[in-house]
Each structure stands twice: as C-alpha cells, then as structure tokens.
Short mmCIF file of all heavy atoms in Angstrom, two decimals:
data_model
loop_
_atom_site.label_atom_id
_atom_site.label_comp_id
_atom_site.label_asym_id
_atom_site.label_seq_id
_atom_site.Cartn_x
_atom_site.Cartn_y
_atom_site.Cartn_z
N LYS E 1 -1.19 -6.33 -4.02
CA LYS E 1 -1.93 -5.84 -5.16
C LYS E 1 -1.21 -4.65 -5.70
O LYS E 1 -0.61 -3.82 -4.94
CB LYS E 1 -3.32 -5.43 -4.81
CG LYS E 1 -4.23 -6.59 -4.32
CD LYS E 1 -5.65 -6.03 -3.94
CE LYS E 1 -6.51 -7.16 -3.55
NZ LYS E 1 -7.86 -6.61 -3.05
N PRO E 2 -1.25 -4.37 -7.03
CA PRO E 2 -1.90 -5.24 -8.09
C PRO E 2 -1.04 -6.48 -8.30
O PRO E 2 0.20 -6.40 -8.20
CB PRO E 2 -1.98 -4.35 -9.25
CG PRO E 2 -0.83 -3.39 -9.09
CD PRO E 2 -0.72 -3.16 -7.61
N PHE E 3 -1.63 -7.57 -8.61
CA PHE E 3 -0.84 -8.86 -8.82
C PHE E 3 -1.30 -9.47 -10.16
O PHE E 3 -2.37 -9.25 -10.70
CB PHE E 3 -1.12 -9.82 -7.68
CG PHE E 3 -2.55 -10.21 -7.49
CD1 PHE E 3 -3.06 -11.30 -8.24
CD2 PHE E 3 -3.37 -9.53 -6.61
CE1 PHE E 3 -4.40 -11.61 -8.10
CE2 PHE E 3 -4.66 -9.90 -6.46
CZ PHE E 3 -5.22 -10.95 -7.15
N SER E 4 -0.40 -10.30 -10.61
CA SER E 4 -0.64 -11.07 -11.86
C SER E 4 -1.48 -12.29 -11.41
O SER E 4 -1.06 -13.05 -10.50
CB SER E 4 0.63 -11.54 -12.49
OG SER E 4 0.39 -12.65 -13.38
N PRO E 5 -2.64 -12.58 -12.04
CA PRO E 5 -3.35 -13.83 -11.74
C PRO E 5 -2.51 -15.09 -11.79
O PRO E 5 -2.68 -15.98 -11.02
CB PRO E 5 -4.51 -13.80 -12.80
CG PRO E 5 -4.69 -12.39 -13.15
CD PRO E 5 -3.31 -11.82 -13.12
N LEU E 6 -1.62 -15.16 -12.79
CA LEU E 6 -0.80 -16.30 -12.91
C LEU E 6 0.16 -16.47 -11.72
O LEU E 6 0.48 -17.59 -11.32
CB LEU E 6 0.02 -16.26 -14.23
CG LEU E 6 -0.79 -16.32 -15.55
CD1 LEU E 6 0.10 -16.19 -16.75
CD2 LEU E 6 -1.62 -17.66 -15.57
N THR E 7 0.60 -15.35 -11.18
CA THR E 7 1.42 -15.43 -9.99
C THR E 7 0.66 -15.95 -8.79
O THR E 7 1.17 -16.83 -8.09
CB THR E 7 1.94 -14.00 -9.60
OG1 THR E 7 2.81 -13.50 -10.68
CG2 THR E 7 2.74 -14.00 -8.30
N LEU E 8 -0.55 -15.52 -8.64
CA LEU E 8 -1.42 -16.05 -7.51
C LEU E 8 -1.67 -17.55 -7.71
O LEU E 8 -1.59 -18.26 -6.79
CB LEU E 8 -2.73 -15.22 -7.46
CG LEU E 8 -3.69 -15.70 -6.34
CD1 LEU E 8 -3.07 -15.66 -4.96
CD2 LEU E 8 -5.00 -14.88 -6.38
N ILE E 9 -1.94 -17.87 -8.98
CA ILE E 9 -2.23 -19.35 -9.24
C ILE E 9 -0.97 -20.19 -8.88
O ILE E 9 -1.08 -21.26 -8.25
CB ILE E 9 -2.55 -19.58 -10.74
CG1 ILE E 9 -3.93 -18.94 -11.07
CG2 ILE E 9 -2.56 -21.05 -11.05
CD1 ILE E 9 -5.12 -19.58 -10.37
N ALA E 10 0.20 -19.69 -9.22
CA ALA E 10 1.45 -20.36 -8.89
C ALA E 10 1.60 -20.47 -7.35
O ALA E 10 2.07 -21.50 -6.84
CB ALA E 10 2.69 -19.66 -9.47
N ARG E 11 1.35 -19.44 -6.65
CA ARG E 11 1.49 -19.39 -5.21
C ARG E 11 0.53 -20.44 -4.57
O ARG E 11 0.84 -21.19 -3.64
CB ARG E 11 1.15 -18.04 -4.62
CG ARG E 11 2.09 -16.91 -5.11
CD ARG E 11 3.41 -16.89 -4.33
NE ARG E 11 4.23 -15.78 -4.78
CZ ARG E 11 4.32 -14.61 -4.12
NH1 ARG E 11 3.64 -14.47 -2.97
NH2 ARG E 11 5.06 -13.65 -4.50
N ILE E 12 -0.74 -20.44 -5.09
CA ILE E 12 -1.75 -21.42 -4.61
C ILE E 12 -1.27 -22.82 -4.81
O ILE E 12 -1.42 -23.65 -3.92
CB ILE E 12 -3.11 -21.11 -5.28
CG1 ILE E 12 -3.70 -19.85 -4.83
CG2 ILE E 12 -4.07 -22.29 -4.99
CD1 ILE E 12 -4.97 -19.40 -5.63
N LYS E 13 -0.75 -23.15 -6.00
CA LYS E 13 -0.33 -24.51 -6.30
C LYS E 13 0.80 -24.95 -5.37
O LYS E 13 0.83 -26.11 -4.85
CB LYS E 13 0.08 -24.62 -7.78
CG LYS E 13 -1.06 -24.55 -8.76
CD LYS E 13 -0.52 -24.66 -10.18
CE LYS E 13 -1.63 -24.68 -11.24
NZ LYS E 13 -1.13 -24.79 -12.60
N ALA E 14 1.73 -24.03 -5.18
CA ALA E 14 2.89 -24.42 -4.34
C ALA E 14 2.44 -24.61 -2.91
O ALA E 14 2.90 -25.57 -2.24
CB ALA E 14 3.94 -23.28 -4.42
N LEU E 15 1.61 -23.74 -2.35
CA LEU E 15 1.19 -23.83 -0.97
C LEU E 15 0.30 -25.10 -0.78
O LEU E 15 0.40 -25.81 0.20
CB LEU E 15 0.43 -22.58 -0.61
CG LEU E 15 -0.06 -22.49 0.87
CD1 LEU E 15 1.18 -22.66 1.77
CD2 LEU E 15 -0.72 -21.15 1.11
N HIS E 16 -0.55 -25.37 -1.74
CA HIS E 16 -1.43 -26.49 -1.70
C HIS E 16 -0.63 -27.85 -1.73
O HIS E 16 -0.89 -28.79 -1.01
CB HIS E 16 -2.51 -26.48 -2.79
CG HIS E 16 -3.41 -27.61 -2.73
ND1 HIS E 16 -4.27 -27.87 -1.69
CD2 HIS E 16 -3.74 -28.59 -3.65
CE1 HIS E 16 -5.03 -28.93 -1.86
NE2 HIS E 16 -4.68 -29.41 -3.08
N ARG E 17 0.42 -27.84 -2.60
CA ARG E 17 1.26 -29.04 -2.72
C ARG E 17 1.96 -29.31 -1.38
O ARG E 17 1.96 -30.48 -0.98
CB ARG E 17 2.31 -28.77 -3.81
CG ARG E 17 3.19 -29.98 -4.05
CD ARG E 17 3.94 -29.81 -5.37
NE ARG E 17 4.76 -28.64 -5.45
CZ ARG E 17 4.45 -27.55 -6.27
NH1 ARG E 17 3.41 -27.58 -7.04
NH2 ARG E 17 5.23 -26.50 -6.29
N ARG E 18 2.50 -28.29 -0.73
CA ARG E 18 3.14 -28.49 0.54
C ARG E 18 2.19 -29.02 1.62
O ARG E 18 2.48 -29.78 2.42
CB ARG E 18 3.79 -27.13 0.95
CG ARG E 18 5.01 -26.77 0.23
CD ARG E 18 6.18 -27.50 0.74
NE ARG E 18 7.42 -27.12 0.01
CZ ARG E 18 8.59 -27.54 0.27
NH1 ARG E 18 8.78 -28.41 1.24
NH2 ARG E 18 9.62 -27.17 -0.46
N SER E 19 0.97 -28.39 1.58
CA SER E 19 -0.07 -28.81 2.55
C SER E 19 -0.46 -30.26 2.35
O SER E 19 -0.63 -31.01 3.34
CB SER E 19 -1.30 -27.91 2.40
OG SER E 19 -2.31 -28.23 3.26
N GLU E 20 -0.58 -30.69 1.13
CA GLU E 20 -0.94 -32.09 0.87
C GLU E 20 0.15 -33.08 1.35
O GLU E 20 -0.15 -34.07 1.94
CB GLU E 20 -1.15 -32.29 -0.62
CG GLU E 20 -2.52 -31.81 -1.13
CD GLU E 20 -2.78 -32.27 -2.62
OE1 GLU E 20 -1.80 -32.19 -3.40
OE2 GLU E 20 -3.85 -32.71 -2.87
N ILE E 21 1.41 -32.68 1.14
CA ILE E 21 2.54 -33.57 1.55
C ILE E 21 2.52 -33.66 3.07
O ILE E 21 2.64 -34.72 3.69
CB ILE E 21 3.86 -32.96 1.08
CG1 ILE E 21 3.97 -33.05 -0.44
CG2 ILE E 21 5.00 -33.66 1.80
CD1 ILE E 21 5.18 -32.37 -1.00
N ALA E 22 2.31 -32.51 3.78
CA ALA E 22 2.23 -32.53 5.26
C ALA E 22 1.08 -33.36 5.77
O ALA E 22 1.22 -34.14 6.77
CB ALA E 22 2.11 -31.10 5.76
N GLU E 23 -0.01 -33.31 5.06
CA GLU E 23 -1.21 -34.02 5.49
C GLU E 23 -0.93 -35.59 5.32
O GLU E 23 -1.31 -36.36 6.27
CB GLU E 23 -2.42 -33.66 4.65
CG GLU E 23 -3.69 -34.32 5.02
CD GLU E 23 -4.34 -33.83 6.32
OE1 GLU E 23 -3.81 -32.80 6.84
OE2 GLU E 23 -5.21 -34.53 6.86
N LYS E 24 -0.36 -35.99 4.26
CA LYS E 24 -0.08 -37.34 4.06
C LYS E 24 0.92 -37.91 5.09
O LYS E 24 0.77 -39.02 5.60
CB LYS E 24 0.46 -37.62 2.59
CG LYS E 24 -0.58 -37.44 1.51
CD LYS E 24 0.07 -37.56 0.20
CE LYS E 24 -0.93 -37.37 -0.98
NZ LYS E 24 -0.37 -37.45 -2.29
N GLN E 25 1.93 -37.13 5.38
CA GLN E 25 2.91 -37.55 6.34
C GLN E 25 2.40 -37.64 7.77
O GLN E 25 2.92 -38.34 8.59
CB GLN E 25 4.15 -36.60 6.26
CG GLN E 25 4.89 -36.75 4.98
CD GLN E 25 5.99 -35.74 4.77
OE1 GLN E 25 5.93 -34.70 5.42
NE2 GLN E 25 6.95 -36.00 3.96
N ALA E 26 1.36 -36.88 8.05
CA ALA E 26 0.78 -36.86 9.35
C ALA E 26 -0.15 -38.08 9.65
O ALA E 26 -0.44 -38.35 10.80
CB ALA E 26 -0.11 -35.63 9.60
N HIS E 27 -0.45 -38.87 8.59
CA HIS E 27 -1.32 -40.01 8.74
C HIS E 27 -0.59 -41.34 8.37
O HIS E 27 -1.09 -42.10 7.56
CB HIS E 27 -2.57 -39.86 7.88
CG HIS E 27 -3.45 -38.74 8.40
ND1 HIS E 27 -3.28 -37.46 7.96
CD2 HIS E 27 -4.50 -38.76 9.26
CE1 HIS E 27 -4.22 -36.67 8.55
NE2 HIS E 27 -4.93 -37.46 9.34
N VAL E 28 0.61 -41.52 8.93
CA VAL E 28 1.35 -42.72 8.75
C VAL E 28 1.14 -43.65 9.91
O VAL E 28 0.86 -43.25 11.05
CB VAL E 28 2.80 -42.44 8.46
CG1 VAL E 28 2.98 -41.58 7.19
CG2 VAL E 28 3.44 -41.71 9.66
N ASN E 29 1.49 -44.94 9.67
CA ASN E 29 1.43 -45.91 10.78
C ASN E 29 2.51 -45.65 11.77
O ASN E 29 3.72 -45.59 11.34
CB ASN E 29 1.55 -47.32 10.18
CG ASN E 29 1.33 -48.42 11.20
OD1 ASN E 29 1.71 -48.24 12.36
ND2 ASN E 29 0.61 -49.43 10.79
N PRO E 30 2.27 -45.52 13.05
CA PRO E 30 3.40 -45.25 13.97
C PRO E 30 4.51 -46.23 13.92
O PRO E 30 5.66 -45.92 14.14
CB PRO E 30 2.65 -45.29 15.35
CG PRO E 30 1.17 -44.98 15.04
CD PRO E 30 0.99 -45.60 13.68
N SER E 31 4.22 -47.52 13.60
CA SER E 31 5.27 -48.49 13.52
C SER E 31 6.21 -48.26 12.45
O SER E 31 7.37 -48.74 12.40
CB SER E 31 4.62 -49.89 13.29
OG SER E 31 3.94 -49.90 12.04
N GLU E 32 5.83 -47.38 11.47
CA GLU E 32 6.68 -47.04 10.33
C GLU E 32 7.51 -45.77 10.61
O GLU E 32 8.28 -45.34 9.79
CB GLU E 32 5.87 -46.85 9.09
CG GLU E 32 5.03 -48.02 8.64
CD GLU E 32 4.16 -47.69 7.47
OE1 GLU E 32 4.09 -46.52 7.09
OE2 GLU E 32 3.55 -48.63 6.91
#
C-alpha cells in the first residue's frame, strides 16, 4: 500500500489463472 486498484485486479487475474491451470492438470486420467 498504497496500490492501484487496477494493479491488484491484474495480480488477482494472473494468480487465479495459474491456480485454475494447476487444478485442471491435477485431475487428469492417470493413464494419460
């Protein structure tokens, strides 16, 4: 702080995007 709201929004989007990718990759069929 102090921070730009747009900067925080960008950080949230980037972190959430990475989290979603990790979540999807963690639920794959073991045979694949």
